[in-house]
Amino acid sequence: MGEDALHRPVLLAEVVEVLQPGSGKVFLDGTLGLGGHAEALLAAGARVIGCDRDPSALELARDRLHSFGERFSAEVGNYADFLSGDREPVDGILLDLGVSSLQFDVPERGFSIRADGPLDMRMGDTGPTAADLIAETSEGDLADIIFAFGEERHSRRIAAALKRRQPTTTQQLVDAVKSGVSRAAWPKHHHVATRTFQALRIAVNRELEALSSGLAAVPRALKIGGRAAVISFHSLEDRMVKRSFRYLCASSE
C-alpha cells in the first residue's frame, strides 16, 4: 500500500466540522482504521481513544499516530462493545462504517471482487469466514441473507448456485453468482456480484447487529452536549443511523 493511501479519510473536513475537536476534549473513534480521522482530531489538540476489529489496521494507526504520545490510545475490538464499556462519557464519537481501503486492497482478506483471494471477509481474525458461512448455512437461509443484507432480487438463484458450487475463493464466488443470474439480468451500473459480496460481508461480521448496539450505546457514552458523527455507505446502515438520530433528537426536545 502506498503512502498516499494512508492519508485519504473520507469526509474529513465534515467530520472535524461536526465534532469540533479542541484542546482538552476527548473522542472515541470506534472504527479507527488507518487513523486518518483520529489524526485530524489529535492535530486539533484533542485526546483520542481508538478501537478497531482489525489488528493489522490498528498497528498501522499506532505507527502513524505515535507522535501524539499519551493523547492517543487504541485497542482491538468491536465498536459496539467499545461504546458500551465502562468508561467516562466523552465529548464526541466517530463511526466510519464499512470496509477500509486496507481490507479491500489486500486480496488475501477476501473482500475484493476484482482480485482473487481466499473467501474470508472477516474484519478481524476470529470467527467463521464467508466460505464457512456458505458451507454451513442452508440454501433458504443463505438466500434470506443475500436478500436482506444485499437487497439482491436474484437471491434465491444465487444461493442455489453458491450451495451447488461451494466457493472458497473470491473468483469462485464471482463465477458462482454469474452462473446464478442470466446475463440479460446483470445490472448495468455495478458488478453482478456486488450485492452478494456486501451481504456475505455484513453477515460474516454481524455489522448491522454491531451498528444497532453501538447506536443504542451512544447517548450513554456522550457527555451532555457531546456530538456523534456516523459515516455510512449503503442504504441499510443509512436507514438505521437516520432512525436512531431522529429518535434521539425527538426524545431530547
Side-chain angles (χ1 to χ4, degrees), residues 66-112:
H66 76 276
S67 62
F68 292 99
E70 294 183 356
R71 286 200 289 117
F72 171 71
S73 61
E75 57 193 65
V76 176
N78 187 314
Y79 68 79
D81 300 326
F82 178 66
L83 293 176
S84 302
D86 184 17
R87 65 178 83 243
E88 290 294 317
V90 296
D91 298 284
I93 293 169
L94 172 64
L95 299 178
D96 181 5
L97 306 175
V99 185
S100 74
S101 59
L102 172 66
Q103 293 159 339
F104 264 128
D105 293 344
V106 179
E108 291 76 17
R109 303 298 299 271
F111 289 98
S112 175

Side-chain angles (χ1 to χ4, degrees), residues 146-229:
I146 296 169
F147 181 77
F149 296 159
E151 300 178 296
E152 171 58 73
R153 62 191 182 93
H154 302 292
S155 60
R156 299 213 173 277
R157 290 196 292 272
I158 292 172
L162 297 187
K163 293 302 290 185
R164 183 172 62 251
R165 294 199 176 200
Q166 295 290 316
T168 58
T169 71
T170 52
Q171 185 58 55
Q172 289 172 6
L173 176 58
V174 169
D175 292 341
V177 173
K178 287 180 176 178
S179 76
V181 181
S182 66
R183 184 67 180 85
W186 288 14
K188 293 181 173 61
H189 303 297
H190 60 262
H191 194 286
V192 65
T194 294
R195 294 182 182 274
T196 301
F197 268 70
Q198 173 184 297
L200 293 175
R201 190 203 81 218
I202 289 173
V204 164
N205 295 289
R206 303 177 70 175
E207 292 178 41
L208 298 187
E209 294 175 47
L211 180 57
S212 179
S213 298
L215 290 172
V218 163
R220 297 190 301 275
L222 280 175
K223 293 179 181 178
I224 295 174
R227 292 167 170 255

Side-chain angles (χ1 to χ4, degrees), residues 118-133:
L119 190 52
D120 193 318
M121 294 195 187
R122 295 173 300 172
M123 291 181 177
D125 54 8
T126 61
T129 66
D132 295 331
L133 178 69

